[in-house]
Amino acid sequence: MDLLINNAVAVDLDTGRETKCAVWIEKGRIQGLSEPLTGERADTAAEILLDAGGAYILPGLIDFHTHLYTKGSGFGLNGDLLLSSGVTMAVDMGTAGCAGYEAFRLTDILPRTINIRSFLNLSPVGQPGAGISEPLDRAAVKEGLMEELITKYADEIRGIKVRISRSIVGDLGIAPLEHALELGERWKLPVCVHTTDPPVRAEEIVSRLRPGDIYSHMYHNKGMTILKEDGGVQEAFKKAQKRGVILEVGNGRMNFNFEVAQQAVRDGVYPDIISSDATAATFANTPAMKDLAFVMSKFWNMGMPLHRVFDSVTRTPARCLGMEKQAGILKKGRSADLTILKVCEQDVEFSDSDGNVRKGTSLLVPVMTALNGKIVYLQGDIPLRKKRL
């Protein structure tokens, strides 16, 4: 064997059951899971032995909402920086439109180590940042070029992104979302809709979405939100979640509010996908987000069961990307894209977009990231040694 990860803890994503295990890796793939090894057997089982010390082992984390177009957007972050946060696959959520997608591939997909998938922005210019809003009227959308790219890069482009904040759509209202859904139906792709400060009531948006579509920034507090006036979650959202609409965090710096989130959690509405919305300005640089593991920790401290937290960054986003047979589950034969997270019991503060603070007592800390069986990030205190002859 090339690599043995010993003394790890795997979590059943359906039941939460925890099992101590060893993970065997050869030629970039998981060869099996077993009980932990001890003594000489552990020392000689593989070329490299990593002792997880009771930390959690997960299929590589998927950060479903990031912005990675470094040469074409003020939001763009070098995707490989996410490896240190336990992320093995990142989704660029509409930073590039059809006008810049080829350049985005050349500068920010092909050169990177991390796996990258993307949602193509409905607007040709994508999300430039720097206070520039993308044009979204039908005359501006280049359907022909979008279709060419989606066909050419079918393995990369996994959906369509549209932002419908009032400051972006103006008098167009909800028409850009309807256009995106029309194209999503035509091309059999999910649509992710940015919903902060929308032009219509939130239930009008979520009621239009199809199973597999994504309602992003579900806990924002700008304009009309997912809550009723009495504080409970609108029934339209509960019904949408039951029929397969994906409710996604997209935390970022401006899109998460504790009051909205805590009222929703009290009403039993947890996110299907936890995501960071990492950008060059926010990654590891803002108390409201920091990185994906930090956002996961926030929801765990809010009462979301740990196995559901883990599911929301592995199996569910893999399924949403149409990659459930390739990623998201610890299973023999799968690519050895893996993340190890340890639990640090300590006082920690979590902030939201409006300056509100909540305190917690547990933090999930990434200590190892592996891609195709190769360790690409390792925290210094994790025991790692070569095979003893």
Side-chain angles (χ1 to χ4, degrees):
M1 289 291 162
D2 297 326
L3 173 64
L4 176 69
I5 299 175
N6 202 23
N7 296 319
V9 175
V11 178
D12 187 302
L13 299 180
D14 292 312
T15 67
R17 180 184 177 185
E18 298 186 0
T19 304
K20 295 179 181 179
C21 68
V23 181
W24 302 74
I25 299 160
E26 188 172 34
K27 296 180 180 178
R29 297 201 168 270
I30 299 172
Q31 298 301 317
L33 281 73
S34 70
E35 293 184 355
L37 278 63
T38 59
E40 183 180 352
R41 190 176 175 215
D43 291 338
T44 59
E47 294 301 317
I48 297 175
L49 172 66
L50 187 151
D51 191 332
Y56 291 110
I57 188 161
L58 283 76
L61 305 187
I62 300 171
D63 198 339
F64 191 78
H65 196 136
T66 65
H67 294 284
L68 307 177
Y69 189 7
T70 61
K71 304 301 182 184
S73 170
F75 296 122
L77 170 74
N78 182 329
D80 282 346
L81 295 175
L82 298 170
L83 294 168
S84 65
S85 63
V87 175
T88 61
M89 182 182 296
V91 180
D92 180 86
M93 192 49 73
T95 321
C98 61
Y101 191 82
E102 294 278 10
F104 170 54
R105 286 191 81 245
L106 291 174
T107 60
D108 289 291
I109 296 181
L110 297 181
R112 304 303 183 212
T113 298
I114 195 169
N115 296 310
I116 295 175
R117 298 296 185 272
S118 61
F119 273 50
L120 188 65
N121 202 298
L122 180 67
S123 174
V125 303
Q127 295 177 213
I132 302 169
S133 294
E134 60 269 27
L136 287 165
D137 57 284
R138 278 188 174 259
V141 175
K142 307 300 182 185
E143 294 183 12
L145 182 53
M146 289 180 71
E147 186 167 10
E148 286 180 25
L149 291 167
I150 289 166
T151 301
K152 185 177 181 180
Y153 302 119
D155 186 56
E156 291 174 5
I157 299 174
R158 297 288 172 151
I160 300 167
K161 168 73 178 296
V162 61
R163 297 198 298 174
I164 60 168
S165 297
R166 288 188 303 156
S167 61
I168 296 171
V169 297
D171 293 339
L172 294 173
I174 204 169
L177 172 59
E178 293 175 332
H179 191 188
L181 290 169
E182 174 190 320
L183 297 179
E185 188 67 21
R186 182 190 306 173
W187 298 326
K188 308 303 179 189
L189 290 174
V191 169
C192 177
V193 54
H194 166 113
T195 62
T196 304
D197 192 18
V200 298
R201 298 199 312 173
E203 62 265 38
E204 294 182 50
I205 299 169
V206 79
S207 297
R208 284 172 162 82
L209 301 185
R210 307 161 298 158
D213 288 335
I214 303 103
Y215 185 98
S216 188
H217 310 311
M218 62 181 291
Y219 297 126
H220 78 78
N221 193 32
K222 305 294 191 298
M224 291 169 278
T225 75
I226 69 173
L227 300 181
K228 298 181 290 188
E229 290 185 5
D230 66 6
V233 175
Q234 297 171 32
E235 289 303 313
F237 283 86
K238 297 178 180 179
K239 291 178 181 178
Q241 200 170 33
K242 286 180 180 178
R243 63 186 172 83
V245 172
I246 304 297
L247 302 184
E248 181 230 356
V249 174
N251 193 104
R253 183 171 54 186
M254 302 298 295
N255 301 307
F256 176 85
N257 176 268
F258 270 119
E259 292 297 328
V260 175
Q262 289 178 314
Q263 289 188 70
V265 166
R266 283 194 291 269
D267 208 7
V269 178
Y270 290 105
D272 296 298
I273 293 178
I274 294 175
S275 53
S276 73
D277 196 6
T279 68
T282 61
F283 179 70
N285 198 36
T286 171
M289 193 277 287
K290 293 188 179 178
D291 63 16
L292 181 60
F294 190 78
V295 181
M296 293 164 62
S297 302
K298 175 166 58 181
F299 279 90
W300 187 25
N301 281 270
M302 285 172 59
M304 186 171 179
L306 187 59
H307 69 284
R308 291 188 64 176
V309 172
F310 288 166
D311 182 88
S312 74
V313 294
T314 55
R315 184 173 60 178
T316 294
R319 186 185 301 129
C320 194
L321 292 168
M323 299 182 68
E324 61 271 27
K325 294 183 179 180
Q326 301 163 256
I329 297 176
L330 279 178
K331 187 177 180 181
K332 182 179 179 179
R334 294 287 179 96
S335 178
D337 295 347
L338 301 166
T339 301
I340 297 178
L341 298 173
K342 71 177 180 181
V343 177
C344 291
E345 299 295 346
Q346 64 183 70
D347 293 334
V348 58
E349 288 190 351
F350 302 100
S351 301
D352 70 7
S353 304
D354 302 297
N356 301 304
V357 175
R358 299 292 186 271
K359 294 184 178 181
T361 57
S362 301
L363 191 64
L364 295 166
V365 177
V367 295
M368 189 220 71
T369 310
L371 280 173
N372 297 314
K374 302 293 185 183
I375 296 171
V376 293
Y377 170 74
L378 185 67
Q379 200 177 78
D381 61 352
I382 301 302
L384 179 73
R385 65 173 183 262
K386 292 187 176 182
K387 182 178 182 178
R388 292 183 180 174
L389 301 176

